[in-house]
Each structure stands twice: as C-alpha cells, then as structure tokens.
Amino acid sequence: NKKSIIIGSGIAGLAAAIRLRNKGFEVNVFEANSYPGGKLSEIIIQGYRFDAGPSLFTLPDQVEELFHISGKDPKAHFDYIRLPVACHYFWEDGTQIKAFGDTKKFAAEVESKLGEPASYVFESLQKSAFIYDHLAPLFMHKSLHRFGTWANKDAIKCYFKLGKLGIFSTMNKANEKQFSNPKMVQLFNRYATYNGSNPYETPATLNIIPHLEFNIGAFFPKKGMHDITLSLYKLAVNLGVKFHFDSKVEEVIVRDKKAIGVIVSGNSHFADVIINNMDMVNAYKTILKKEKQPNRLLDQPKSSSALIFYWGIKKVFPELDLHNILFSENYKEEFDHIFNKKSIYQDPTVYINITSVNKPDDAPEGCMNWFTMINVPNNQGQDWDRLIQEARKSIIQKVNRILKTDIENLLEVEEILEPRTIESKTSSANGALYGNSSNNKYAAFLRHANFSSEIKNLYFCGGSVHPGGGIPLCLLSAKIMTDMIKG
Ligand code: FAD
C-alpha cells in the first residue's frame, strides 16, 4: 500500500484521511492538539456543553458523502435536522424577524413586518441560486490551478454570464438595489460574515450564500456541531486511519524537490504523499520554512476573527432560537472598525447561538448555554485585554436593552475565545476564522492551490487554501485535493 501522512486533523484533514483510506492508502494523521477537529471542537464547563467554533451547518451532503464512499449509511452514524427557523433577528427598535426555512413564510414575514414586497425576496433568492448554479461547479468543486478547469463547458457557461454574477458590484450595493427596507439590506449583508468578509467591499458574487441557507437549508446535527468531528473521526478510525495526538509536525522533509516525510519530536516518518491541513501562512513559517515562500499569496488580507463568550445562563429565554442576531444600529461603522480601524465598534452586532434550544442536555435544567459572539478584526497586536473588557460591557448592555433583562446576574459560567487563542489553539494566521478574506474580486484566485507547484507529492487542504474557509468548503478542499492524488 502507498503511504500518506496528514498534518492536522481539522475537518479537512479528517475528510482527506477518509478519502485517502478509501483510495487504498495507509494514512497516518499527526495532530498537535490532544483532540481531533481543530476549530470544530467543544468545551464542557460545569454541566454546560458548547460547540467551540462553527455553529452554522450548511451542505450536509458533503459530510454524508464521506460515509457513502466508505460504504456506510450516514444516517446510522450522523444525524441532523433541517432548521424550521434559520435565524431570529432582533433590532433595537423592537422589530423581530424570523428567517423561516420555508421561503414563502419568510417572505410573508418580511412583507407583514417590514413592508418589503415578498416578490423582492423571491427574486433575490433566484439570483442567489443563479450565481450558485454557475459558479459552484467551477469554484467549489474544481481546482482553479489546472488548465482543464478553464476549458470545459462549466467555465464557458460562466464567461457569457459574467455581468450577472455580481463580480462588478459589491454585496451592499446589490442588496440596496434589491431591497427597499434598510433592515433587509442589513439582513442580507450579514452573509458576508459567513466567510469573514466585509459586505461593503466584497463582490456581490457572495450573494451566493443565501442560496445555501434558504434554498438548500440550514441544518443542525442532532448531537451538536461537534458531532461532525466525532462521527468523521470515528469513521476514519474504523477505516484504519492511525491518529497521533500531541504530535506537532516540526518539518516537512523535502529531498530533490520531493516531499518524502515529516519530522515529529525529532523522529522522521516517511510516506509517498504528504498532506498539509495546517494554515498555510504558519505552515510556510514553520514546517516549510526552508522552502520557497509564495509571498504574494501569503500576504493577502485575512478574514475577520471572533470574540466569543461561552456563557452559562441561569434562565430560559423562550423568545430565543438556536441562532439569534441582535443587530448593530450602524452596520457600516461596525465593518469599518473590523476591517479598516482594526478595532471593535461600541455597538457590535451580537450573535447568540444556543444549542440547548435543540439539545436540552447541553445545559442544566432551567438554564441555557449561550455562545455569544461578535465579529472582530484579526489579530494585529491590538490591546486585546482592553478591547475584550470594553466589548463585554457593550454586549451586556445590548443584550439587556433588547431582551429587557439583567444578563450579568444570570451568568454562572464564563469562558472566552478570542483572536490570540484562536491562533494558539489551531495555528490560524492572525486568528482569522476563514483564512484569506474575500474582500476583492480576485480573492478566489489568490488562495493557495491544493498542491505545491515547487515540491512534488505535497498537497494542501483546509480553510486557508482553495476553495476557502467554512466547513463545506474545507470538506470540498479535501475532495479536490484527493482527486488529484493517484491511488
Ligand atoms: P483547522 O480547524 O484550522 O485545524 C487545523 C488543525 O491542524 C488543528 O487541529 C491544529 O492543531 C493542527 N495543526 C496545526 N499545526 C500543526 C502541526 N505543525 N502539526 C500537527 N498539527 C497541526 N464555519 C462554518 O461552516 N460555519 C460556522 O458557523 C463557522 N463559525 C466559526 C466560528 C468560529 C469561532 C471559528 C473559529 C470558525 C468558524 N467557522 C465556521 C470556520 C470553520 O471552523 C473552519 O473553516 C474550519 O473548521 C477549518 O478547518 P480546517 O480543516 O482548515 O482546520
């Protein structure tokens, strides 16, 4: 059997392990942490369980496919539901909108509460589907760095529709044109944050994202997000993948421009192919530091990061759903702070994810587990201790104003994740959540390829390479990459 080594057991590393094993490779995964999953992990504190990182689950078929190719029934190992409400939105003036999974219901909701014509919603979601149908086959399922990608029928279809794919406008401009009510513009601008970008700069092409959430659906794994990691880890182990935890790779061994192995704790391990799932910026700084550096790609601006308070709350708020957003009064100012001033706006949009709504055993009886998050700039050496304390105050005041409560008195557990700890726990450059940002129309072409053009037998997957960050894209990166490797 051919041998493979995977560096990192993030979601893409796990998917790569399963795919390579199915191709007949022997697979050894070296992971720096003591647990699998990277950003997709969990924390448990005093009877409260929290999904530590990702909370929104789209394109579940990408997870299911890994069971199918392994000859297993996904439903027997990994179960999930489609959410009847994708998100519950709150504004300071008391307006509340539920983004129902049923688009007709959602359109009726915004028509009755905001006076936004239902037809504008349908039209917007059709445009979103159009972008998806044209771009997904090209940008999500194929390498952009192979000639064949640009010379087939999917690509040719796109060349003729460039004007309609949103490349020449920004997300905000397109949404201002589409909707009459500023609250709808804000709601749809929020999708830029799904890959850590700025709606006032990112091309309107990113209006592809609402298609995922509304037309295909927002989902929730019945055992929580961490079950994506656990079920894939178990599948990999079951297939015979060998995991080595607390095993930080120190160097990729390269001889005659060929990757032949890795060094872990001073010991060499050899294989026919080496796959790196670690963030590319830090990989080139550490395990590939002797190799030629693709500086232009590595210097691209990074996505935003996050500040999260994991709060155990001694009360049940029946008005809250699984996903809740308390919107900022000035969205433009908020993004200007995140991407230009590299600071935190004093009225941030607060996202509260509460898995105990769907999975009651995630919190003690009569309590809720609040994953309370705001988008923040990536780490540029800011005075985080001060910024975090200020942001905590702003968040508490906002929650108190909108939910008419005194949240500080209800807190019994608190843990914090922030850009510095995101970086130290998963090696993400600047603590960015999604690798490079997508704030310009060339971003898709300025992510690292899924292979090395300098070093043979060296491949890449994960949020910092093509096609980008977020669970579905990371899973696709593993697919694109393993498709290139001959069994
Ligand atoms: P990572 O999770 O980055 O893991 C890389 C792994 O490599 C780590 O386990 C690390 O320990 C290991 N490693 C690094 N260096 C070495 C080394 N030298 N040797 C061995 N191992 C090493 N996505 C969504 O789809 N929906 C969401 O709602 C969402 N929300 C998010 C919220 C937060 C707070 C965060 C942090 C992320 C969120 N994301 C979301 C993004 C998503 O989590 C990531 O895009 C995805 O999990 C990244 O997976 P990855 O395969 O790139 O690996």
Side-chain angles (χ1 to χ4, degrees):
N1 277 7
K2 278 193 171 177
K3 290 183 176 173
S4 66
I5 285 175
I6 300 180
I7 304 162
S9 68
I11 197 69
L14 292 173
I18 293 164
R19 287 186 178 278
L20 284 174
R21 194 71 196 111
N22 274 295
K23 282 190 149 197
F25 276 84
E26 221 175 83
V27 185
N28 279 283
V29 180
F30 291 95
E31 166 55 58
N33 289 331
S34 57
Y35 53 87
K39 298 185 180 76
L40 190 40
S41 59
E42 72 176 0
I43 55 173
I44 296 171
I45 335 162
Q46 294 170 36
Y48 291 89
R49 191 200 71 88
F50 300 90
D51 287 313
S55 52
L56 180 70
F57 183 38
T58 51
L59 295 182
D61 54 317
Q62 293 307 322
V63 175
E64 290 190 315
E65 190 175 304
L66 296 166
F67 288 93
H68 286 304
I69 60 164
S70 309
K72 310 244 187 248
D73 171 17
K75 282 278 175 283
H77 303 273
F78 172 72
D79 210 359
Y80 59 88
I81 54 157
R82 183 170 176 174
L83 294 173
V85 176
C87 190
H88 193 164
Y89 294 95
F90 296 78
W91 281 269
E92 295 267 356
D93 65 3
T95 308
Q96 292 186 26
I97 293 287
K98 284 195 177 194
F100 292 103
D102 175 343
T103 48
K104 282 196 190 120
K105 225 171 145 185
F106 172 57
E109 166 101 342
V110 299
E111 194 164 85
S112 75
K113 293 200 174 156
L114 300 177
E116 186 75 33
S119 61
Y120 290 7
V121 174
F122 298 132
E123 195 183 279
S124 148
L125 294 177
Q126 267 166 18
K127 285 183 188 165
S128 185
F130 179 88
I131 302 175
Y132 186 84
D133 291 344
H134 281 76
L135 294 187
L138 206 58
F139 284 83
M140 284 168 60
H141 292 269
K142 292 201 175 83
S143 167
L144 297 184
H145 305 84
R146 294 279 203 232
F147 176 71
T149 303
W150 301 106
N152 69 19
K153 64 173 181 5
D154 292 331
I156 292 161
K157 209 167 107 183
C158 283
Y159 301 146
F160 287 106
K161 303 280 186 205
L162 281 183
K164 287 189 165 177
L165 297 173
I167 297 161
F168 305 111
S169 181
T170 67
M171 177 184 260
N172 175 61
K173 279 192 188 134
N175 288 336
E176 279 185 343
K177 225 166 133 187
Q178 179 67 42
F179 298 109
S180 59
N181 190 308
K183 288 193 169 72
M184 284 299 278
V185 176
Q186 187 172 27
L187 194 155
F188 275 80
N189 276 354
R190 181 180 160 252
Y191 289 102
T193 65
Y194 283 29
N195 74 357
S197 300
N198 178 353
Y200 302 91
E201 286 176 9
T202 198
T205 316
L206 275 206
N207 277 335
I208 193 173
I209 300 173
H211 174 68
L212 302 184
E213 191 165 290
F214 284 105
N215 298 334
I216 302 178
F219 300 87
F220 180 70
K222 284 187 176 168
K223 296 182 189 164
M225 292 297 285
H226 186 234
D227 194 41
I228 303 174
T229 291
L230 279 189
S231 61
L232 292 184
Y233 170 66
K234 281 185 207 148
L235 174 63
V237 170
N238 196 272
L239 291 170
V241 173
K242 293 192 189 80
F243 285 87
H244 309 266
F245 293 107
D246 297 311
S247 299
K248 189 173 186 166
V249 172
E250 287 142 18
E251 188 180 335
V252 174
I253 309 170
V254 179
R255 295 276 179 275
D256 301 327
K257 295 205 164 248
K258 244 191 219 172
I260 57 164
V262 298
I263 301 179
V264 182
S265 309
N267 298 317
S268 302
H269 303 263
F270 296 98
D272 300 288
V273 289
I274 310 294
I275 286 104
N276 174 47
N277 171 221
M278 173 187 184
D279 175 277
M280 292 306 290
V281 172
N282 281 326
Y284 275 103
K285 272 191 197 154
T286 57
I287 58 177
L288 292 169
K289 67 171 180 274
K290 295 180 189 157
E291 309 307 324
K292 190 174 159 192
Q293 307 278 309
N295 290 325
R296 182 153 177 250
L297 302 186
L298 303 180
D299 290 346
Q300 289 305 306
K302 300 289 165 282
S303 81
S304 52
S305 186
L307 167 61
I308 297 140
F309 296 93
Y310 305 95
W311 280 341
I313 304 275
K314 290 182 289 183
K315 186 182 162 180
V316 170
F317 289 79
E319 66 271 45
L320 294 178
D321 237 294
L322 172 66
H323 301 288
N324 308 276
I325 284 285
L326 317 186
F327 264 129
S328 167
E329 291 270 78
N330 191 336
Y331 220 27
K332 189 154 195 310
E333 220 15 77
E334 181 178 1
F335 282 99
D336 195 39
H337 274 75
I338 297 172
F339 288 97
N340 302 321
K341 298 186 175 135
K342 306 280 178 200
S343 185
I344 301 180
Y345 185 46
Q346 41 86 11
D347 175 33
T349 296
V350 178
Y351 167 58
I352 310 173
N353 172 247
I354 312 170
T355 59
S356 62
V357 169
N358 284 52
K359 190 174 171 294
D361 61 350
D362 277 355
E365 181 91 34
C367 304
M368 285 182 135
N369 64 339
W370 284 24
F371 166 109
T372 314
M373 173 181 141
I374 60 170
N375 294 307
V376 302
N378 57 48
N379 183 19
Q380 302 287 336
Q382 295 92 325
D383 180 357
W384 285 109
D385 293 337
R386 177 181 62 79
L387 287 177
I388 291 168
Q389 278 322 308
E390 287 170 6
R392 188 178 181 278
K393 266 191 215 138
S394 316
I395 293 170
I396 287 174
Q397 284 166 2
K398 192 164 185 80
V399 168
N400 289 348
R401 279 196 308 272
I402 293 186
L403 299 180
K404 309 214 171 357
T405 185
D406 178 3
I407 208 68
E408 212 159 7
N409 272 331
L410 300 171
L411 290 183
E412 63 172 355
V413 155
E414 180 174 80
E415 185 87 26
I416 299 175
L417 185 72
E418 38 102 350
R420 291 170 303 187
T421 40
I422 292 173
E423 177 154 24
S424 63
K425 282 185 173 176
T426 61
S427 246
S428 291
N430 309 99
L433 304 190
Y434 301 96
N436 291 353
S437 77
S438 294
N439 287 341
N440 71 66
K441 52 177 169 287
Y442 308 107
F445 302 96
L446 293 168
R447 287 200 176 86
H448 203 290
N450 304 93
F451 58 94
S452 167
S453 46
E454 298 288 326
I455 303 165
K456 242 184 122 193
N457 300 337
L458 179 60
Y459 296 87
F460 306 109
C461 61
S464 66
V465 301
H466 176 72
I471 298 165
L473 296 190
C474 288
L475 292 173
L476 283 164
S477 75
K479 185 176 184 188
I480 293 170
M481 180 211 69
T482 44
D483 282 351
M484 292 172 177
I485 300 175
K486 288 197 191 79

